[in-house]
Amino acid sequence: MKAILLTAFLFGIVPGLKAQQLKKMQTDLQDKAAITQALENIYFKGIYEGDVSLLAQVYHPGTLLFGDVKGQPYAKTLEQYLDGVAHRQSPKDSGKPFKGDILAVDVINSIAVAKVHVKMYEFNYDEFLSFHKIDGKWLIVNKMISDVNL
């Protein structure tokens, strides 16, 4: 009798677990696709063109930016960062090489981290971008940056 109950229990639970795992995998893929699209169509494009209104669409207003550039500490508020972008020559207008690459995106529920590489001007930046899904939209809430020698 115990064997019959155990068998019935397992046949009832296991398919439900597989369905839950499949749904989570589909959600993860959808979230990764949404983050990838935000990076490619807004973040990289905004940096390349120097378009602060475009960049503002992908950043949470309270975002902080930290790291190092040429060995010097780098710490800015989003407002300071966007002001810098607005008052510099864009990579597009400079005619210098620009390339943004997504190296990895990891999603857990409503948070995510993207590792990206950005080549612009004479710099090669490795960046960790923390995302949070707010009101159904993935926004950067923290940016960590370091220039690296390649």
Side-chain angles (χ1 to χ4, degrees):
M1 181 67 167
K2 287 182 183 177
I4 294 172
L5 288 174
L6 181 59
T7 304
F9 177 75
L10 290 176
F11 278 113
I13 294 294
V14 173
L17 291 176
K18 287 182 182 176
Q20 288 176 349
Q21 290 173 345
L22 181 60
K23 183 177 180 183
K24 182 170 176 17
M25 286 173 43
Q26 290 172 339
T27 301
D28 286 352
L29 291 175
Q30 291 169 342
D31 288 332
K32 285 182 180 183
I35 292 167
T36 297
Q37 184 177 12
L39 288 168
E40 291 174 347
N41 299 334
I42 300 173
Y43 183 70
F44 293 145
K45 184 177 182 192
I47 293 171
Y48 174 66
E49 295 177 356
D51 187 337
V52 294
S53 63
L54 191 60
L55 286 170
Q57 293 176 31
V58 75
Y59 280 104
H60 182 274
T63 299
L64 297 175
L65 299 85
F66 296 99
D68 57 77
V69 177
K70 294 192 179 208
Q72 297 301 309
Y74 179 95
K76 293 186 178 189
T77 64
L78 179 61
E79 185 178 319
Q80 291 169 324
Y81 169 72
L82 292 178
D83 184 63
V85 170
H87 291 95
R88 71 176 183 213
Q89 185 180 36
S90 72
K92 179 181 178 180
D93 291 340
S94 75
K96 294 185 178 180
F98 176 89
K99 183 155 176 46
D101 290 310
I102 300 169
L103 305 178
V105 177
D106 291 320
V107 178
I108 301 172
N109 298 321
S110 67
I111 62 171
V113 175
K115 181 179 180 183
V116 302
H117 181 82
V118 176
K119 177 172 182 44
M120 60 185 271
Y121 307 116
E122 69 276 3
F123 295 99
N124 284 286
Y125 294 112
D126 279 347
E127 303 178 1
F128 290 106
L129 305 169
S130 298
F131 283 82
H132 188 205
K133 192 174 189 180
I134 301 172
D135 296 327
K137 184 176 179 183
W138 286 100
L139 297 174
I140 297 170
V141 295
N142 181 261
K143 176 177 175 176
M144 299 195 58
I145 181 173
S146 185
D147 65 320
V148 295
N149 294 324
L150 293 182

